[in-house]
Coordinates of all heavy atoms in Angstrom, one line a residue:
M720 N 5.2 -14.4 -6.2 CA 6.3 -13.4 -6.3 C 5.7 -12.3 -7.1 O 5.0 -12.4 -8.1 CB 7.5 -14.1 -7.0 CG 8.8 -13.3 -6.8 SD 9.3 -13.5 -5.1 CE 10.4 -12.2 -5.0
I721 N 6.1 -11.1 -6.7 CA 5.6 -9.9 -7.4 C 6.6 -9.4 -8.4 O 7.8 -9.6 -8.3 CB 5.3 -8.7 -6.3 CG1 6.6 -8.3 -5.6 CG2 4.3 -9.1 -5.4 CD1 6.4 -7.1 -4.8
D722 N 6.1 -8.8 -9.4 CA 6.9 -8.2 -10.5 C 7.0 -6.7 -10.2 O 6.1 -5.9 -10.5 CB 6.3 -8.5 -11.9 CG 7.2 -8.0 -13.0 OD1 8.4 -7.8 -12.7 OD2 6.7 -8.0 -14.1
K723 N 8.1 -6.3 -9.6 CA 8.3 -4.9 -9.2 C 8.2 -3.9 -10.4 O 7.6 -2.9 -10.3 CB 9.6 -4.7 -8.5 CG 9.6 -5.2 -7.1 CD 10.9 -4.9 -6.4 CE 11.0 -3.5 -6.0 NZ 12.1 -3.2 -5.1
K724 N 8.8 -4.3 -11.5 CA 8.9 -3.4 -12.7 C 7.5 -3.2 -13.2 O 7.1 -2.0 -13.6 CB 9.7 -4.0 -13.8 CG 11.2 -3.9 -13.5 CD 12.0 -4.4 -14.6 CE 13.5 -4.4 -14.3 NZ 14.4 -4.9 -15.4
Q725 N 6.6 -4.2 -13.2 CA 5.3 -4.1 -13.7 C 4.5 -3.1 -12.8 O 3.7 -2.3 -13.3 CB 4.6 -5.4 -13.9 CG 3.2 -5.3 -14.3 CD 2.5 -6.7 -14.4 OE1 3.1 -7.7 -14.1 NE2 1.3 -6.7 -14.8
V726 N 4.6 -3.3 -11.5 CA 3.9 -2.5 -10.5 C 4.3 -1.1 -10.6 O 3.5 -0.1 -10.6 CB 4.1 -3.0 -9.1 CG1 3.5 -2.1 -8.1 CG2 3.5 -4.4 -8.9
I727 N 5.6 -0.8 -10.8 CA 6.1 0.5 -11.0 C 5.6 1.2 -12.2 O 5.1 2.3 -12.2 CB 7.7 0.5 -10.9 CG1 8.2 0.2 -9.5 CG2 8.2 1.9 -11.4 CD1 9.6 0.0 -9.4
T728 N 5.6 0.5 -13.4 CA 5.2 1.1 -14.6 C 3.7 1.4 -14.6 O 3.2 2.3 -15.2 CB 5.5 0.2 -15.8 OG1 5.0 -1.1 -15.6 CG2 7.0 0.1 -16.1
E729 N 2.9 0.6 -13.9 CA 1.5 0.8 -13.8 C 1.1 2.0 -13.0 O 0.1 2.6 -13.1 CB 0.8 -0.4 -13.2 CG 0.7 -1.6 -14.1 CD 0.2 -2.9 -13.4 OE1 -0.1 -2.8 -12.2 OE2 0.0 -3.9 -14.1
N730 N 2.0 2.4 -12.0 CA 1.6 3.5 -11.1 C 2.5 4.7 -11.1 O 2.3 5.6 -10.4 CB 1.7 2.9 -9.6 CG 0.6 1.9 -9.4 OD1 -0.5 2.2 -9.3 ND2 1.0 0.6 -9.4
Q731 N 3.5 4.7 -12.0 CA 4.4 5.9 -12.1 C 3.7 7.0 -12.8 O 2.9 6.9 -13.7 CB 5.7 5.5 -12.8 CG 5.6 5.1 -14.2 CD 7.0 4.6 -14.7 OE1 7.9 4.6 -14.0 NE2 7.0 4.2 -16.0
K732 N 4.1 8.3 -12.5 CA 3.6 9.5 -13.1 C 4.4 9.8 -14.3 O 3.8 10.3 -15.3 CB 3.7 10.6 -12.1 CG 2.8 10.4 -10.9 CD 3.0 11.6 -9.9 CE 2.2 11.3 -8.6 NZ 2.5 12.3 -7.6
G733 N 5.7 9.7 -14.3 CA 6.5 10.0 -15.5 C 7.4 8.8 -15.8 O 7.4 7.7 -15.2
A734 N 8.3 9.0 -16.7 CA 9.2 7.9 -17.2 C 10.2 7.5 -16.2 O 10.6 6.3 -16.1 CB 9.9 8.3 -18.5
S735 N 10.7 8.4 -15.3 CA 11.7 8.1 -14.4 C 11.2 8.1 -12.9 O 11.9 8.1 -12.0 CB 12.8 9.2 -14.5 OG 12.3 10.4 -14.2
D736 N 9.9 8.0 -12.8 CA 9.3 8.0 -11.4 C 9.3 6.6 -10.9 O 8.5 5.8 -11.3 CB 7.8 8.6 -11.5 CG 7.1 8.5 -10.2 OD1 7.8 8.5 -9.2 OD2 5.9 8.5 -10.2
T737 N 10.1 6.4 -9.9 CA 10.2 5.1 -9.3 C 9.9 5.1 -7.8 O 9.9 4.1 -7.1 CB 11.5 4.4 -9.5 OG1 12.5 5.2 -9.0 CG2 11.7 4.1 -11.0
G738 N 9.8 6.3 -7.2 CA 9.8 6.4 -5.7 C 8.7 7.3 -5.2 O 8.7 7.7 -4.0
S739 N 7.7 7.7 -6.0 CA 6.7 8.6 -5.5 C 5.8 7.8 -4.5 O 5.9 6.6 -4.4 CB 5.8 9.1 -6.7 OG 5.1 8.0 -7.3
T740 N 5.0 8.6 -3.8 CA 4.2 7.9 -2.8 C 3.2 6.9 -3.4 O 3.1 5.8 -2.8 CB 3.4 9.0 -2.1 OG1 4.2 10.0 -1.6 CG2 2.6 8.5 -0.9
A741 N 2.7 7.2 -4.6 CA 1.8 6.2 -5.2 C 2.5 4.9 -5.6 O 1.9 3.8 -5.4 CB 1.2 6.9 -6.5
V742 N 3.7 5.0 -6.1 CA 4.5 3.8 -6.4 C 4.8 3.0 -5.2 O 4.7 1.8 -5.2 CB 5.7 4.2 -7.2 CG1 6.6 3.0 -7.4 CG2 5.4 4.8 -8.5
Q743 N 5.2 3.7 -4.1 CA 5.5 3.0 -2.9 C 4.3 2.3 -2.3 O 4.4 1.2 -1.8 CB 6.1 4.0 -1.9 CG 7.4 4.6 -2.2 CD 7.9 5.6 -1.2 OE1 7.9 5.3 0.0 NE2 8.3 6.7 -1.6
V744 N 3.2 3.0 -2.3 CA 2.0 2.3 -1.8 C 1.6 1.1 -2.6 O 1.2 0.1 -2.1 CB 0.8 3.3 -1.7 CG1 -0.5 2.7 -1.5 CG2 1.1 4.4 -0.7
A745 N 1.7 1.2 -4.0 CA 1.4 0.1 -4.8 C 2.3 -1.1 -4.6 O 1.9 -2.2 -4.6 CB 1.5 0.6 -6.3
L746 N 3.6 -0.8 -4.4 CA 4.6 -1.9 -4.1 C 4.3 -2.5 -2.8 O 4.3 -3.8 -2.6 CB 6.0 -1.3 -4.1 CG 6.6 -1.1 -5.5 CD1 7.9 -0.3 -5.3 CD2 6.8 -2.3 -6.3
L747 N 4.0 -1.7 -1.8 CA 3.6 -2.3 -0.5 C 2.3 -3.1 -0.6 O 2.2 -4.2 0.1 CB 3.4 -1.2 0.6 CG 4.7 -0.6 1.1 CD1 4.5 0.6 1.9 CD2 5.5 -1.6 1.9
T748 N 1.4 -2.7 -1.3 CA 0.1 -3.4 -1.5 C 0.4 -4.8 -2.1 O -0.2 -5.8 -1.7 CB -0.9 -2.6 -2.3 OG1 -1.1 -1.4 -1.7 CG2 -2.2 -3.3 -2.5
A749 N 1.2 -4.8 -3.1 CA 1.6 -6.1 -3.8 C 2.3 -7.0 -2.8 O 2.0 -8.2 -2.8 CB 2.5 -5.8 -5.0
R750 N 3.2 -6.5 -2.0 CA 3.9 -7.3 -1.0 C 2.9 -7.8 0.1 O 3.0 -8.9 0.5 CB 5.0 -6.5 -0.3 CG 6.2 -6.3 -1.2 CD 7.3 -5.6 -0.5 NE 7.8 -6.3 0.6 CZ 8.6 -5.8 1.5 NH1 8.9 -4.5 1.5 NH2 9.1 -6.5 2.5
I751 N 1.9 -6.9 0.5 CA 0.9 -7.3 1.5 C 0.1 -8.4 0.9 O -0.2 -9.4 1.7 CB 0.1 -6.1 1.9 CG1 1.0 -5.2 2.8 CG2 -1.1 -6.5 2.6 CD1 0.4 -3.8 3.1
N752 N -0.4 -8.3 -0.3 CA -1.2 -9.3 -0.9 C -0.5 -10.7 -1.0 O -1.1 -11.7 -0.7 CB -1.7 -8.9 -2.3 CG -2.7 -7.7 -2.2 OD1 -3.3 -7.5 -1.1 ND2 -2.8 -7.0 -3.2
N753 N 0.8 -10.6 -1.4 CA 1.6 -11.8 -1.5 C 1.8 -12.5 -0.1 O 1.6 -13.7 0.0 CB 2.9 -11.5 -2.1 CG 3.8 -12.7 -2.4 OD1 3.3 -13.8 -2.6 ND2 5.1 -12.5 -2.4
L754 N 2.0 -11.7 0.9 CA 2.2 -12.2 2.3 C 0.9 -12.7 2.9 O 0.9 -13.7 3.6 CB 2.9 -11.1 3.2 CG 3.4 -11.6 4.5 CD1 4.4 -12.7 4.4 CD2 4.1 -10.4 5.2
S755 N -0.2 -12.1 2.5 CA -1.5 -12.5 3.0 C -1.8 -13.9 2.5 O -2.3 -14.8 3.2 CB -2.6 -11.6 2.7 OG -2.4 -10.3 3.3
A756 N -1.5 -14.1 1.2 CA -1.7 -15.4 0.6 C -0.8 -16.5 1.3 O -1.3 -17.6 1.5 CB -1.4 -15.4 -0.9
H757 N 0.4 -16.1 1.6 CA 1.3 -17.1 2.3 C 0.7 -17.4 3.7 O 0.8 -18.6 4.1 CB 2.7 -16.4 2.4 CG 3.6 -17.1 3.4 ND1 4.2 -18.3 3.1 CD2 3.9 -16.8 4.7 CE1 4.9 -18.7 4.2 NE2 4.8 -17.8 5.1
L758 N 0.2 -16.4 4.4 CA -0.2 -16.6 5.7 C -1.6 -17.4 5.8 O -1.8 -18.0 6.8 CB -0.4 -15.3 6.5 CG 0.9 -14.6 6.8 CD1 0.7 -13.2 7.4 CD2 1.8 -15.5 7.8
T759 N -2.3 -17.4 4.7 CA -3.5 -18.3 4.7 C -3.1 -19.7 4.7 O -3.8 -20.6 5.3 CB -4.5 -17.9 3.5 OG1 -3.7 -18.1 2.3 CG2 -5.0 -16.6 3.7
A760 N -2.0 -20.1 4.0 CA -1.6 -21.4 4.0 C -0.7 -21.8 5.2 O -0.7 -23.0 5.6 CB -0.8 -21.7 2.7
N761 N -0.1 -20.8 5.8 CA 0.8 -21.1 7.0 C 0.4 -20.3 8.2 O 0.9 -19.2 8.5 CB 2.2 -20.7 6.6 CG 2.7 -21.5 5.4 OD1 3.0 -22.7 5.5 ND2 2.9 -20.8 4.3
K762 N -0.7 -20.7 8.8 CA -1.3 -20.0 9.9 C -0.4 -19.8 11.1 O -0.6 -18.8 11.9 CB -2.6 -20.6 10.3 CG -3.6 -20.7 9.2 CD -4.9 -21.2 9.7 CE -5.9 -21.4 8.5 NZ -6.2 -20.2 7.8
K763 N 0.6 -20.6 11.3 CA 1.4 -20.5 12.5 C 2.7 -19.7 12.3 O 3.5 -19.7 13.2 CB 1.7 -21.9 13.0 CG 0.5 -22.7 13.5 CD 0.9 -23.9 14.2 CE -0.3 -24.6 14.8 NZ 0.1 -25.7 15.7
D764 N 2.8 -19.1 11.2 CA 4.0 -18.3 10.9 C 3.9 -16.9 11.6 O 3.4 -15.9 11.0 CB 4.1 -18.1 9.3 CG 5.4 -17.4 9.0 OD1 6.2 -17.1 9.9 OD2 5.6 -17.2 7.8
K765 N 4.3 -16.9 12.8 CA 4.2 -15.7 13.6 C 5.1 -14.6 13.2 O 4.7 -13.4 13.2 CB 4.4 -16.0 15.1 CG 3.5 -17.0 15.7 CD 2.1 -16.6 15.6 CE 1.1 -17.7 16.2 NZ -0.3 -17.4 15.9
H766 N 6.3 -14.9 12.7 CA 7.2 -13.9 12.2 C 6.6 -13.3 10.9 O 6.8 -12.1 10.7 CB 8.6 -14.5 11.9 CG 9.2 -14.9 13.2 ND1 9.7 -14.0 14.1 CD2 9.5 -16.2 13.7 CE1 10.3 -14.7 15.2 NE2 10.1 -16.0 14.9
G767 N 6.0 -14.1 10.1 CA 5.4 -13.5 8.9 C 4.2 -12.6 9.2 O 4.0 -11.6 8.6
Q768 N 3.5 -12.9 10.3 CA 2.4 -12.1 10.7 C 2.9 -10.7 11.2 O 2.3 -9.7 10.9 CB 1.6 -12.7 11.9 CG 0.8 -13.9 11.4 CD 0.1 -14.6 12.6 OE1 0.2 -14.2 13.7 NE2 -0.5 -15.8 12.3
R769 N 4.0 -10.7 11.9 CA 4.6 -9.5 12.3 C 5.1 -8.6 11.1 O 4.9 -7.4 11.1 CB 5.8 -9.7 13.3 CG 6.4 -8.4 13.8 CD 7.5 -8.7 14.8 NE 7.9 -7.4 15.4 CZ 8.8 -6.6 14.9 NH1 9.4 -6.9 13.7 NH2 9.2 -5.5 15.5
G770 N 5.7 -9.3 10.1 CA 6.1 -8.6 8.9 C 4.9 -8.0 8.2 O 5.0 -6.9 7.7
L771 N 3.8 -8.7 8.2 CA 2.6 -8.1 7.6 C 2.1 -6.9 8.3 O 1.7 -5.9 7.7 CB 1.5 -9.2 7.6 CG 0.1 -8.8 6.9 CD1 0.3 -8.5 5.5 CD2 -0.9 -9.9 7.1
Q772 N 2.1 -6.9 9.6 CA 1.7 -5.8 10.4 C 2.6 -4.6 10.2 O 2.1 -3.4 10.1 CB 1.7 -6.1 11.9 CG 0.6 -7.1 12.4 CD 0.7 -7.4 13.8 OE1 1.7 -7.2 14.5 NE2 -0.4 -8.0 14.3
L773 N 3.9 -4.8 10.0 CA 4.8 -3.7 9.7 C 4.6 -3.1 8.4 O 4.6 -1.9 8.2 CB 6.3 -4.2 9.8 CG 6.8 -4.6 11.2 CD1 8.2 -5.2 11.1 CD2 6.8 -3.4 12.1
L774 N 4.3 -4.0 7.4 CA 4.0 -3.5 6.0 C 2.7 -2.7 6.0 O 2.6 -1.6 5.4 CB 3.9 -4.7 5.0 CG 5.2 -5.4 4.7 CD1 4.9 -6.6 3.8 CD2 6.2 -4.5 4.0
N775 N 1.7 -3.2 6.7 CA 0.4 -2.5 6.8 C 0.6 -1.1 7.5 O 0.0 -0.1 7.0 CB -0.6 -3.3 7.6 CG -1.4 -4.2 6.7 OD1 -1.6 -3.9 5.6 ND2 -1.8 -5.3 7.3
G776 N 1.4 -1.0 8.5 CA 1.7 0.2 9.2 C 2.4 1.2 8.3 O 2.1 2.4 8.2
Q777 N 3.4 0.7 7.5 CA 4.1 1.6 6.6 C 3.2 2.1 5.5 O 3.2 3.3 5.2 CB 5.3 0.8 6.0 CG 6.1 1.7 5.0 CD 6.9 2.8 5.7 OE1 7.3 2.6 6.8 NE2 7.1 3.9 5.0
R778 N 2.3 1.2 5.0 CA 1.4 1.7 3.9 C 0.4 2.7 4.5 O 0.0 3.6 3.8 CB 0.7 0.5 3.3 CG -0.3 0.8 2.2 CD -0.9 -0.4 1.6 NE -1.9 -0.9 2.5 CZ -2.7 -2.0 2.2 NH1 -2.6 -2.5 1.0 NH2 -3.6 -2.4 3.0
R779 N -0.1 2.4 5.7 CA -1.0 3.3 6.4 C -0.4 4.7 6.5 O -1.1 5.7 6.3 CB -1.5 2.8 7.7 CG -2.6 3.6 8.4 CD -3.0 3.1 9.7 NE -1.8 3.3 10.6 CZ -1.1 2.4 11.3 NH1 -1.4 1.1 11.1 NH2 -0.2 2.7 12.1
R780 N 0.8 4.8 6.9 CA 1.5 6.1 7.1 C 1.7 6.8 5.8 O 1.4 8.0 5.7 CB 2.9 5.9 7.8 CG 2.7 5.6 9.3 CD 4.1 5.7 10.0 NE 5.0 4.7 9.4 CZ 5.2 3.5 9.9 NH1 4.4 3.0 10.9 NH2 6.1 2.7 9.4
L781 N 2.0 6.1 4.7 CA 2.1 6.7 3.4 C 0.8 7.2 2.9 O 0.7 8.3 2.3 CB 2.8 5.7 2.4 CG 4.3 5.5 2.5 CD1 4.7 4.3 1.7 CD2 5.0 6.7 2.1
L782 N -0.2 6.4 3.1 CA -1.6 6.8 2.7 C -2.1 8.0 3.4 O -2.7 8.9 2.9 CB -2.6 5.7 2.8 CG -2.5 4.6 1.7 CD1 -3.4 3.4 2.1 CD2 -2.9 5.1 0.4
K783 N -1.7 8.1 4.7 CA -2.1 9.3 5.5 C -1.4 10.5 5.0 O -2.0 11.6 4.9 CB -1.7 9.0 7.0 CG -2.3 9.9 8.0 CD -1.9 9.4 9.4 CE -2.4 10.3 10.5 NZ -2.0 9.7 11.8
Y784 N -0.1 10.4 4.6 CA 0.6 11.5 4.0 C 0.0 11.9 2.7 O -0.2 13.1 2.4 CB 2.1 11.1 3.8 CG 2.8 12.1 3.0 CD1 3.3 13.3 3.5 CD2 3.1 11.8 1.6 CE1 4.0 14.2 2.6 CE2 3.8 12.6 0.8 CZ 4.2 13.8 1.3 OH 4.9 14.7 0.5
L785 N -0.3 10.9 1.9 CA -0.9 11.2 0.6 C -2.3 11.9 0.7 O -2.6 12.8 0.0 CB -1.0 10.0 -0.3 CG -1.4 10.1 -1.7 CD1 -0.4 11.0 -2.5 CD2 -1.6 8.8 -2.4
E786 N -3.0 11.5 1.7 CA -4.4 12.1 1.9 C -4.2 13.5 2.3 O -5.0 14.4 1.9 CB -5.1 11.3 3.0 CG -6.5 11.8 3.3 CD -7.1 11.2 4.5 OE1 -6.4 10.6 5.3 OE2 -8.3 11.2 4.6
R787 N -3.2 13.8 3.1 CA -3.0 15.1 3.6 C -2.5 16.1 2.6 O -2.8 17.3 2.5 CB -2.0 15.1 4.8 CG -1.9 16.2 5.7 CD -1.0 16.0 6.9 NE 0.4 15.7 6.5 CZ 1.0 14.5 6.8 NH1 0.4 13.6 7.5 NH2 2.2 14.3 6.4
T788 N -1.6 15.6 1.6 CA -1.0 16.4 0.7 C -1.8 16.5 -0.7 O -1.8 17.6 -1.3 CB 0.4 16.0 0.4 OG1 0.4 14.6 0.0 CG2 1.3 16.1 1.6
N789 N -2.3 15.4 -1.1 CA -3.0 15.4 -2.4 C -4.2 14.5 -2.3 O -4.1 13.3 -2.7 CB -2.0 14.9 -3.5 CG -2.5 15.1 -4.9 OD1 -3.7 15.4 -5.1 ND2 -1.7 14.9 -5.9
Y790 N -5.3 15.0 -1.9 CA -6.5 14.2 -1.6 C -7.1 13.5 -2.9 O -7.5 12.4 -2.8 CB -7.6 15.1 -1.0 CG -8.7 14.3 -0.4 CD1 -8.5 13.6 0.7 CD2 -9.9 14.3 -1.0 CE1 -9.6 12.8 1.3 CE2 -11.0 13.6 -0.5 CZ -10.8 12.8 0.6 OH -11.8 12.1 1.2
D791 N -7.0 14.2 -4.0 CA -7.6 13.6 -5.2 C -6.8 12.4 -5.7 O -7.3 11.4 -6.1 CB -7.6 14.6 -6.4 CG -8.6 15.8 -6.1 OD1 -9.6 15.5 -5.3 OD2 -8.4 16.9 -6.6
E792 N -5.5 12.5 -5.6 CA -4.6 11.3 -5.9 C -4.8 10.2 -4.9 O -4.8 9.0 -5.3 CB -3.2 11.8 -5.9 CG -2.2 10.7 -6.4 CD -0.8 11.1 -6.4 OE1 -0.5 12.3 -6.2 OE2 0.1 10.2 -6.6
Y793 N -5.0 10.5 -3.7 CA -5.3 9.5 -2.6 C -6.6 8.7 -3.0 O -6.6 7.5 -2.9 CB -5.4 10.2 -1.3 CG -6.1 9.4 -0.2 CD1 -5.3 8.4 0.5 CD2 -7.4 9.6 0.2 CE1 -5.9 7.7 1.5 CE2 -7.9 8.9 1.2 CZ -7.2 7.9 1.9 OH -7.8 7.1 2.9
I794 N -7.6 9.5 -3.3 CA -8.9 8.8 -3.7 C -8.7 7.9 -4.9 O -9.2 6.7 -4.9 CB -10.0 9.9 -4.0 CG1 -10.3 10.6 -2.7 CG2 -11.3 9.2 -4.5 CD1 -10.9 9.8 -1.6
A795 N -8.0 8.4 -5.9 CA -7.8 7.6 -7.1 C -7.0 6.4 -6.9 O -7.3 5.3 -7.4 CB -7.1 8.5 -8.2
L796 N -5.9 6.5 -6.1 CA -5.1 5.4 -5.8 C -5.8 4.3 -5.0 O -5.6 3.1 -5.3 CB -3.8 5.9 -5.0 CG -2.7 4.8 -4.8 CD1 -2.2 4.3 -6.1 CD2 -1.7 5.4 -3.9
T797 N -6.5 4.7 -3.9 CA -7.2 3.7 -3.1 C -8.3 3.0 -3.9 O -8.5 1.8 -3.7 CB -7.8 4.3 -1.9 OG1 -8.6 5.5 -2.2 CG2 -6.7 4.8 -0.9
D798 N -8.9 3.7 -4.8 CA -9.9 3.0 -5.7 C -9.2 2.1 -6.7 O -9.7 0.9 -6.9 CB -10.7 4.1 -6.5 CG -11.7 4.8 -5.6 OD1 -12.0 4.4 -4.5 OD2 -12.1 5.9 -6.0
K799 N -8.1 2.5 -7.2 CA -7.4 1.6 -8.2 C -6.8 0.4 -7.5 O -6.9 -0.7 -8.1 CB -6.2 2.4 -8.8 CG -5.4 1.7 -9.8 CD -4.3 2.5 -10.3 CE -3.5 1.8 -11.3 NZ -2.3 2.6 -11.8
L800 N -6.3 0.5 -6.3 CA -5.7 -0.7 -5.6 C -6.7 -1.5 -4.8 O -6.3 -2.5 -4.3 CB -4.5 -0.2 -4.7 CG -3.4 0.5 -5.5 CD1 -2.3 1.0 -4.5 CD2 -2.7 -0.5 -6.4
G801 N -7.9 -0.9 -4.6 CA -8.9 -1.7 -3.8 C -8.6 -1.6 -2.4 O -8.9 -2.6 -1.6
I802 N -8.1 -0.5 -1.9 CA -7.8 -0.3 -0.5 C -9.0 0.4 0.2 O -9.5 1.4 -0.3 CB -6.5 0.5 -0.2 CG1 -5.3 -0.2 -0.9 CG2 -6.2 0.8 1.2 CD1 -4.1 0.6 -0.9
R803 N -9.4 -0.1 1.3 CA -10.6 0.5 2.0 C -10.1 1.8 2.7 O -9.0 1.8 3.3 CB -11.2 -0.4 3.0 CG -11.9 -1.6 2.4 CD -12.5 -2.4 3.5 NE -11.4 -3.2 4.1 CZ -11.4 -3.6 5.4 NH1 -12.4 -3.4 6.1 NH2 -10.3 -4.3 5.8
R804 N -10.9 2.8 2.6 CA -10.5 4.1 3.2 C -11.3 4.1 4.6 O -12.4 3.7 4.7 CB -10.9 5.3 2.4 CG -10.2 5.4 1.1 CD -10.5 6.6 0.4 NE -11.8 6.7 -0.1 CZ -12.2 6.3 -1.3 NH1 -11.4 5.7 -2.1 NH2 -13.5 6.5 -1.7
G805 N -10.7 4.8 5.5 CA -11.3 5.0 6.8 C -12.4 6.1 6.7 O -12.6 6.7 5.7
Q806 N -13.1 6.3 7.8 CA -14.1 7.3 7.9 C -13.5 8.6 8.1 O -13.1 9.0 9.2 CB -15.1 7.0 9.0 CG -15.9 5.8 8.8 CD -16.9 5.9 7.7 OE1 -16.9 6.8 6.9 NE2 -17.8 4.9 7.6
R807 N -13.2 9.3 7.0 CA -12.6 10.7 7.0 C -13.6 11.7 6.6 O -14.5 11.4 5.8 CB -11.4 10.7 6.1 CG -10.4 9.6 6.4 CD -9.3 10.2 7.3 NE -8.3 9.2 7.4 CZ -7.6 9.0 8.5 NH1 -7.9 9.7 9.6 NH2 -6.7 8.1 8.6
I808 N -13.4 12.9 6.9 CA -14.2 14.0 6.5 C -13.9 14.3 5.0 O -12.7 14.5 4.7 CB -14.1 15.2 7.4 CG1 -14.5 14.9 8.8 CG2 -14.8 16.4 6.8 CD1 -14.2 16.0 9.8
V809 N -14.8 14.3 4.1 CA -14.6 14.6 2.7 C -14.4 16.1 2.6 O -15.1 16.9 3.1 CB -15.8 14.2 1.9 CG1 -15.5 14.5 0.4 CG2 -16.0 12.7 2.0
R810 N -13.3 16.5 1.9 CA -13.0 17.9 1.7 C -13.6 18.5 0.5 O -14.0 17.9 -0.4 CB -11.5 18.0 1.6 CG -10.8 17.6 2.8 CD -9.3 17.7 2.7 NE -8.8 17.2 3.9 CZ -7.7 16.5 4.0 NH1 -7.0 16.2 2.9 NH2 -7.2 16.0 5.1

């Protein structure tokens, strides 16, 4: 189980920041890691696999937005969370 408050406090920019792109990506990453651990033990859970694909897609879209709007924050966040970046042209 993930601790949402801890994830939010680790990734927020200000005291009342709970919904910025970085916080959303961090929460999705925590959920993805939790679900991946579940799926390694339950390989036939097809509905869980679909949920994982949906979470990955949502995180990918948020990261794409963050890369487009604030590239330095995108680099810092992907390094912090251990997310692999695609082959993009460095600006």
